Amino acid sequence: MEPLLFSAIELRGLRLRNRVVVSPMLSYSATGGHANDEHLAHYARFATGGAGLVFLEATKIDPRGCSTARDLGLWKDEFVEPLARIAALVKRSGAAVGIQLSHSGRKARRSLPWEGNEPLAGCPGVDHGEPWELVGPSAVAHSPKYETPRELAPAEIDELIERWGQAAERAQRAGFDAIEIQGGHGYLVHQFLSPVANRRRDEYGGPLENRMRFALDVVRRIRRSWPREKPLFFRMSVVDDAGWTLDDSVVLARTLKEAGVDVIDCSSGGMLDAVRGGPPIGYGYQVEYARRIRELADVRTMAVGLIVHGDQAETIVREGSADLVALGREFLHNPNWPLDAAQKMGVAGAFGLAPARVGFWLEKRARVRGVRPSTWGRGIDGDEGAPREPAGEPGAKRP
Ligand SMILES: Cc1cc2nc3c(=O)[nH]c(=O)nc-3n(C[C@H](O)[C@H](O)[C@H](O)COP(=O)(O)O)c2cc1C
């Protein structure tokens, strides 16, 4: 039986060649919000490795929303062209390409992770000296290690929602196939959802219905600019460390689906520093969230979090826990993860996942070694019953 993991799936008008997705991961490589050759090289590796969909990292809709000075931006038209180059390159290699849109709110303005993730003093200005002010739903700090944001005025909330829409328009111009809204991990959208971060007394604060309003307004504004035939993902912390529960997420997921979200990307945590909440981090630790949201909210889901092996990923989709699997650090370790997994799982035409300049030769390599592609990697001498090809296939000129 062909693995479901490597079967195509359609999301609105977008057809993914398989269900393996590169999870959004900040590469901390931009300057002043601009994408450059480092991004091009970084994302091209994932696409040529056979992923179905490659998400670019949390790209900020507002300079104030940058986590670090090296975040990517989409708050200006001039960001479109270098992103368009990346999108085109990823698509040329057979993968679809998505972009995560985000705003860090009260968690913005930090040093790089490997420089300690410390608050940056003052307002150094991420973008040619524009003020880099911490803003949030309320003037409540994330933790004692974070500075207190300024509470957004109602008119500023309207303006921010508009910025999400404008970023989506730019994503469309840059040729992206999918958008994901970063609605989890303690960032701005999640801050509005959380009664811990959101103490507002207006229509954006108080009961769950009000706290969901910002997320919904963002989705509706994006949907106004984002083509009907293109899918919209929403990443949520299905449970967080500050009282947000699975039941809340089910209500949110149902509402988002009605507003035009196609896939819920099921993550967790990020609201406080102290404890994570949820199960201990381990093999497939968030898959259960994807399963429950899929079942209870009747929406497509993406599972993420220490999905490491092909057979693990296959079980997730085959058992109906999720429609898609997203991998983060595995892709940093091995950008050819899908190609590798497809070979090990015996997928017919596995080498076709790579561009011909690579796949053609890898297919020869597998056969020359006398190992069937289906058993490739299962054992050095796993050639039991494999056809013994003479080294130097007819028609295959050795490089
Ligand atoms: C270097 C790095 C950067 C990340 N950046 C983002 C990001 O931009 N947006 C986001 O939603 N999650 C981000 N994450 C979280 C990943 O998308 C993913 O959810 C997490 O790493 C768990 O998956 P994994 O175990 O396969 O790595 C990042 C993770 C890493 C390791």
Side-chain angles (χ1 to χ4, degrees):
M1 196 169 27
E2 276 291 294
L4 192 59
L5 188 66
F6 287 99
S7 66
I9 182 170
E10 275 170 29
L11 305 169
R12 295 191 182 232
L14 178 67
R15 188 169 197 271
L16 305 183
R17 60 180 166 178
N18 60 51
R19 291 150 194 249
V20 184
V21 177
V22 178
S23 201
M25 279 180 290
L26 284 156
S27 62
Y28 306 101
S29 304
T31 41
H34 289 88
N36 55 43
D37 286 354
E38 281 175 56
H39 298 94
L40 193 71
H42 185 67
Y43 289 108
R45 295 190 325 149
F46 303 138
T48 54
L53 171 61
V54 177
F55 265 113
L56 266 63
E57 63 204 77
T59 302
K60 302 303 166 355
I61 58 118
D62 171 9
R64 294 172 301 181
C66 288
S67 281
T68 76
R70 310 297 304 277
D71 288 16
L72 275 182
L74 249 186
W75 63 83
K76 285 192 296 198
D77 287 341
E78 66 193 58
F79 295 131
V80 170
E81 193 274 329
L83 288 172
R85 281 183 69 212
I86 299 173
L89 184 67
V90 171
K91 289 202 281 192
R92 272 205 302 281
S93 51
V97 65
I99 188 163
Q100 189 186 56
L101 299 182
S102 183
H103 190 301
S104 298
R106 66 179 189 170
K107 284 174 82 173
R109 216 177 68 202
R110 314 288 294 180
S111 64
L112 301 181
W114 47 89
E115 289 169 358
N117 186 27
E118 300 288 342
L120 294 178
C123 291
V126 69
D127 182 24
H128 313 301
E130 274 184 41
W132 191 3
E133 191 189 15
L134 288 195
V135 291
S138 301
V140 180
H142 175 70
S143 80
K145 293 187 210 146
Y146 285 72
E147 287 172 33
T148 304
R150 181 176 63 74
E151 176 170 317
L152 286 159
E156 290 179 300
I157 295 179
D158 294 345
E159 192 246 343
L160 264 183
I161 291 164
E162 184 55 26
R163 279 178 178 262
W164 285 87
Q166 289 168 358
E169 281 162 23
R170 295 187 185 105
Q172 163 65 3
R173 292 213 306 272
F176 286 96
D177 299 310
I179 285 179
E180 175 167 281
I181 296 168
Q182 168 55 300
H185 297 176
Y187 296 114
L188 186 67
V189 175
H190 189 183
Q191 288 162 28
F192 270 91
L193 292 170
S194 165
V196 171
N198 179 353
R199 311 269 173 85
R200 300 181 74 89
R201 291 172 186 274
D202 60 9
E203 58 180 351
Y204 286 99
L208 178 62
E209 191 190 346
N210 283 4
R211 283 181 279 118
M212 291 194 316
R213 193 179 307 279
F214 184 73
L216 270 172
D217 284 353
V218 166
V219 167
R220 292 195 182 113
R221 177 60 191 86
I222 289 180
R223 265 285 162 226
R224 263 180 36 220
S225 297
W226 188 237
R228 282 179 69 85
E229 67 276 12
K230 293 192 176 184
L232 181 58
F233 289 55
F234 188 99
R235 170 162 274 193
M236 64 170 74
S237 287
V238 175
V239 300
D240 71 14
D241 36 6
W244 180 266
T245 64
L246 173 71
D247 290 345
D248 295 329
S249 286
V250 171
V251 175
L252 178 63
R254 284 198 191 121
T255 318
L256 292 175
K257 183 184 171 186
E258 274 172 28
V261 167
D262 304 291
V263 180
I264 304 290
D265 178 3
C266 297
S267 192
S268 66
M271 185 45 70
L272 299 174
D273 272 353
V275 281
R276 242 197 82 258
I281 294 178
Y283 201 63
Y285 63 104
Q286 294 172 143
V287 173
E288 182 62 9
Y289 299 141
R291 189 183 72 73
R292 300 294 296 278
I293 294 290
R294 191 171 187 261
E295 179 188 313
L296 299 172
D298 188 26
V299 62
R300 284 176 150 166
T301 60
M302 182 155 81
V304 66
L306 283 176
I307 298 169
V308 175
H309 296 116
D311 50 3
Q312 176 197 18
E314 170 65 9
T315 303
I316 291 167
V317 292
R318 187 159 294 281
E319 290 184 347
S321 298
D323 300 274
L324 299 161
V325 292
L327 282 70
R329 289 160 294 181
E330 279 313 303
F331 267 105
L332 296 182
H333 173 65
N334 177 11
N336 286 341
W337 190 95
L339 186 60
D340 192 41
Q343 290 169 62
K344 287 174 177 159
M345 295 166 79
V347 174
F351 293 104
L353 284 173
R357 66 177 183 274
V358 173
F360 180 84
W361 301 108
L362 291 185
E363 204 266 340
K364 301 290 169 215
R365 167 174 164 269
R367 291 209 274 155
V368 166
R369 287 193 44 178
V371 179
R372 284 171 300 174
S374 62
T375 55
W376 184 252
R378 279 198 192 148
I380 298 293
D381 299 318
D383 60 349
E384 223 180 315
R388 290 206 173 267
E389 300 282 357
E393 270 271 275
K397 291 204 179 68
R398 288 178 160 236

